[in-house]
Amino acid sequence: MHPLKAVIPRGAATRREFLQQMFLTAGALSISGSLLSACGTSTGVGGRGRFGNIGPLGAPDARGIRVPEGFSTRVVAVTGQVPAPGSSYPWHIFPDGGGVMPKADGGWYYISNSEIPGAGSLGFQFPQLAPLSNIIEIFVPGLGGSGVLEFAADGTVVDAYRILGNTTFNCAGCVTPWNTWLSCEEWPNGQVWECDPTGANSAIARPALGFFSHEATAIDTQRRMVYMTEDMPDGRFYRWVADNTDWPAGAARPALQSGKLQVLKVNGGGVAAALNGPQPVVWIDALSPDQPQDANRHPDSAAFDGGEGVWNHKGFVYFSTKGDNRIWVYDTHSETLEVIYDLATAENPILSGVDNITVTKQGDVLVAEDGGDMQVVVILPDRTLKPLLQVTGQDGSEIAGIAFSPDGRRMYFTSDRGGPNGPGLGITYELLLPEGL
């Protein structure tokens, strides 16, 4: 058993619609606490990636999930139920972003955020209320956080426990190369929290990474940077640049205590022109980096409609924007930005409600849908699309938390507001891939 590593903060189809419904019915602040990845290959065409040859989705299995032939699924955790014998931790409400960290004995940890809204979420749903809700959040700790499923080498769940508590609307994040978990708070004055997946050390807030509606993070160890998305209708794309004191050359990890917060500026034809080809970009220093960024926008920075998942793969940083259903790629080599998928103009528009992103070693971009058709869709290296799975009977939920076991045979994902028999408070699945894939 691991102790609760709680910390006290500083002071319909999409999640935004779902939140609005909750707040309008006064349900958001009365949820019972008892129920309570490093983040592809070149973007150039060519290659079929890992999933290029999978077949079409079959009929729903016993859990209501459609998968290609040779794949199978199982449930590994259900909200409110204890996932492992001997554990006293009931799996958390609204499991969202997730990642996997390997263990020395061949097992692994699956880390999962709990996306429970709180007072600060009022400012996320209704931006005009952010100044007030930010203050309330200081005095009313949230019910969110992060939990862990611990797996043995044979895939058995052997323990479950919490590694972060008293935070709000924890969305995505990533497993760091130095074996910690970055958990993002998605509200206007939210922070990134660094957590120990083993449960041995308490979580630590990292204010150097900025105050905004953090969605996800991705790490570039070569350039000593952290990329971050902001889920607001006028959100920005950020990076934190370490200084030589915080992350000395050759050091295994940064202190995440000092450095520079920057936002992306798109030159050339601007953001709209990125639909037609790569546009040059530059990074500019954020205004008042120690203050909520929604109230301190740099006038030259580019606005993105609802930043979601982000993933760095070999210097190509993929991110999604749900407001306009686009997948973007920032090329750190050429310093350009391009749209590689746009629902409105796509020849094969099977991907909507774009959200979490995971990129395989082979360059497949896996995109989870928030709403849409409740699918995980693969953008192959040649930019063609294939569905990998579909959750049926859970309309109003979203898929999140995609992460692979260290050997790549198992893929974990969640239905944020799903249940074993339809709508619920969250369920976490495992997808077993065919041998040799």
Side-chain angles (χ1 to χ4, degrees), residues 250-416:
R253 63 152 298 160
L256 295 176
Q257 295 179 354
S258 62
K260 187 177 293 185
L261 184 68
Q262 297 185 321
V263 287
L264 190 72
K265 175 185 178 182
V266 182
N267 291 325
V271 171
L275 282 165
N276 302 315
Q279 300 299 308
V281 301
V282 294
W283 292 90
I284 53 181
D285 292 349
L287 301 177
S288 303
D290 59 345
Q291 299 296 317
Q293 287 299 294
D294 67 316
N296 291 278
R297 301 295 194 201
H298 196 296
D300 295 329
S301 60
F304 296 93
D305 191 355
E308 293 287 343
V310 60
W311 195 280
N312 173 41
H313 185 68
K314 298 182 179 180
F316 295 90
V317 184
Y318 299 85
F319 66 97
S320 60
T321 51
K322 192 167 55 188
D324 49 20
N325 280 294
R326 292 174 180 171
I327 306 296
W328 309 72
V329 60
Y330 160 56
D331 183 344
T332 67
H333 310 283
S334 63
E335 290 296 323
T336 58
L337 179 73
E338 181 181 7
V339 174
I340 64 169
Y341 175 81
D342 172 52
L343 176 65
T345 60
E347 294 182 1
N348 184 24
I350 64 171
L351 173 60
S352 62
V354 300
D355 203 296
N356 280 191
I357 286 180
T358 299
V359 182
T360 68
K361 294 178 181 179
Q362 296 85 355
D364 311 82
V365 182
L366 277 61
V367 185
E369 290 187 330
D370 178 354
D373 296 318
M374 282 291 287
Q375 296 187 117
V376 173
V377 176
V378 183
I379 303 177
L380 299 169
D382 63 4
R383 297 193 184 180
T384 58
L385 275 64
K386 276 202 169 188
L388 177 60
L389 63 85
Q390 181 181 25
V391 178
T392 66
Q394 297 184 28
D395 295 344
S397 185
E398 66 176 290
I399 297 178
I402 299 174
F404 289 90
S405 60
D407 65 1
R409 280 292 314 280
R410 306 164 192 266
M411 189 190 88
Y412 299 96
F413 64 98
T414 72
S415 176
D416 190 305

Side-chain angles (χ1 to χ4, degrees), residues 100-257:
V100 165
M101 189 181 90
K103 295 170 55 185
D105 63 2
W108 56 91
Y109 303 99
Y110 176 71
I111 309 103
S112 171
N113 281 340
S114 178
E115 196 188 34
I116 299 178
S121 302
L122 283 165
F124 169 78
Q125 174 58 38
F126 306 103
Q128 67 273 20
L129 298 180
L132 175 61
S133 63
N134 288 348
I135 294 174
I136 297 174
E137 179 73 27
I138 295 175
F139 301 101
V140 184
L143 298 174
S146 302
V148 170
L149 293 176
E150 182 178 351
F151 289 85
D154 65 357
T156 302
V157 180
V158 296
D159 203 357
Y161 49 91
R162 182 177 285 270
I163 58 172
L164 173 66
N166 298 338
T167 52
T168 288
F169 219 40
N170 295 78
C171 195
C174 71
V175 174
T176 69
W178 50 91
N179 291 329
T180 63
W181 169 250
L182 298 183
S183 180
C184 295
E185 286 187 297
E186 190 182 359
W187 57 283
N189 202 24
Q191 295 193 71
V192 175
W193 295 80
E194 187 168 20
C195 312
D196 178 4
T198 71
N201 300 294
S202 297
I204 301 172
R206 296 301 186 189
L209 299 183
F211 298 86
F212 53 90
S213 291
H214 286 272
E215 173 77 22
T217 58
I219 298 170
D220 186 338
T221 55
Q222 180 180 354
R223 296 167 182 80
R224 292 179 287 171
M225 297 175 181
V226 179
Y227 298 97
M228 297 169 284
T229 50
E230 180 183 22
D231 189 358
M232 294 291 282
D234 63 342
R236 266 51 174 178
F237 187 46
Y238 298 85
R239 75 178 183 185
W240 170 83
V241 183
D243 57 35
N244 289 328
T245 300
D246 192 280
W247 197 347
R253 63 152 298 160
L256 295 176
Q257 295 179 354

